[in-house]
């Protein structure tokens, strides 16, 4: 059964998980790769047979990142089971990078980006305007934004940085302190548009304001 973003976030936020870009994500601090392996084993065991289909694990010497694939009720329940087995979960470092490409003719450019990046369709969405993703989920997702008219004086590629909803304010503040400027907060908290000193844009985005 599908859940709303609000329901999924509320169900797991107090357990150290965050809803980011269609996934539930958390991390666990560890002291070594051996410790990381032990944490990963606990998480996998907690998921049982569902681990292969729903859980992704990234092991580092100082941290383990755990990702569950969607906001469905079953996935939320897996997050809750993992937290019982791995109570050290926390939202530190939880983010995903998404790149938007503005285009007048999306169907004309999408095949190029799919080919040059060796990307694939996102979740079976293979329409001529649908997003594309790294099949190994290592690189950022790419989506296409429809332009209504040519804008030769405006950059046509910008970065969407999807963060945990309670991290957005700090990320924006850091960007502004680093010489950036706020272009628009009109669609906050879904996204804020920022720009660097030369006008190249990036959006800080969250799940909020989208249901």
């Amino acid at each position: 059964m599908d859940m709303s973003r609000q329901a999924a976030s509320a169900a797991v936020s107090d357990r150290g998980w965050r809803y980011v870009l269609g996934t539930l994500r958390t991390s666990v601090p560890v002291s070594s790769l051996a410790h990381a392996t032990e944490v990963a084993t606990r998480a996998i065991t907690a998921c049982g047979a569902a681990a292969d289909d729903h859980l992704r694990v990234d092991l580092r010497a100082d941290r383990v990142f755990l990702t569950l694939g969607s906001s469905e009720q079953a996935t939320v329940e897996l997050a809750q089971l993992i937290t019982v087995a791995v109570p050290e979960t926390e939202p530190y470092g939880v983010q995903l990078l998404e790149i938007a490409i503005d285009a007048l003719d999306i169907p004309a450019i999408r095949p190029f980006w799919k080919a040059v990046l060796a990307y694939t369709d996102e979740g079976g969405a293979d329409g001529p305007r649908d997003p594309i993703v790294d099949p190994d989920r290592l690189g950022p997702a790419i989506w296409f934004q429809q332009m209504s008219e040519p804008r030769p004086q405006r950059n046509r590629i910008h970065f969407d940085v999807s963060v945990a909803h309670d991290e957005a304010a700090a990320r924006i503040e850091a960007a502004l302190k680093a010489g950036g400027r706020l272009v628009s907060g009109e669609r906050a908290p879904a996204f804020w548009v920022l720009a660097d000193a030369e006008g190249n844009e990036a959006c800080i985005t969250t799940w909020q304001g989208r249901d």
Side-chain angles (χ1 to χ4, degrees), residues 103-177:
L104 287 168
D105 188 351
I106 295 172
I109 71 164
R110 182 181 185 271
F112 168 80
W113 288 100
K114 189 175 178 181
V116 77
L117 295 170
Y119 271 27
T120 188
D121 300 319
E122 181 184 47
D126 59 357
R129 293 176 173 80
D130 286 329
I132 56 176
V133 295
D134 180 351
D136 295 321
R137 299 303 192 270
L138 297 175
I142 304 289
W143 68 282
F144 303 92
Q145 182 166 269
Q146 184 64 56
M147 295 173 63
S148 57
E149 59 186 20
R151 290 176 290 184
Q153 301 306 315
R154 181 181 186 273
N155 55 294
R156 296 180 62 186
I157 297 178
H158 68 268
F159 291 97
D160 280 355
V161 185
S162 296
V163 301
H165 65 278
D166 50 0
E167 177 64 21
R171 189 66 62 91
I172 292 167
E173 180 181 3
L176 297 178
K177 287 182 176 178

Side-chain angles (χ1 to χ4, degrees), residues 22-95:
T23 63
L24 299 179
R25 300 172 67 86
T26 192
S27 73
V28 182
V30 294
S31 57
S32 65
L33 280 176
H35 185 192
T37 302
E38 182 265 321
V39 167
T41 299
R42 278 192 277 149
I44 293 167
T45 301
C47 290
D52 287 347
D53 292 329
H54 297 285
L55 177 64
R56 295 202 304 273
V57 184
D58 181 358
L59 278 65
R60 313 287 177 88
D62 61 345
R63 191 163 293 273
V64 175
F65 292 93
L66 303 173
T67 302
L68 290 165
S70 73
S71 59
E72 294 181 356
Q73 178 66 44
T75 308
V76 168
E77 291 172 358
L78 288 176
Q80 294 168 337
L81 289 172
I82 290 173
T83 305
V84 172
V86 188
E88 311 97 305
T89 53
E90 58 180 44
Y92 174 87
V94 171
Q95 70 171 33

Side-chain angles (χ1 to χ4, degrees), residues 2-13 19 71 73 76 207 211:
D2 287 338
M3 302 177 69
S4 69
R5 298 178 182 91
Q6 176 68 52
S9 178
V12 299
S13 284
Y19 179 91
S71 59
Q73 178 66 44
V76 168
W207 63 266
D211 285 329

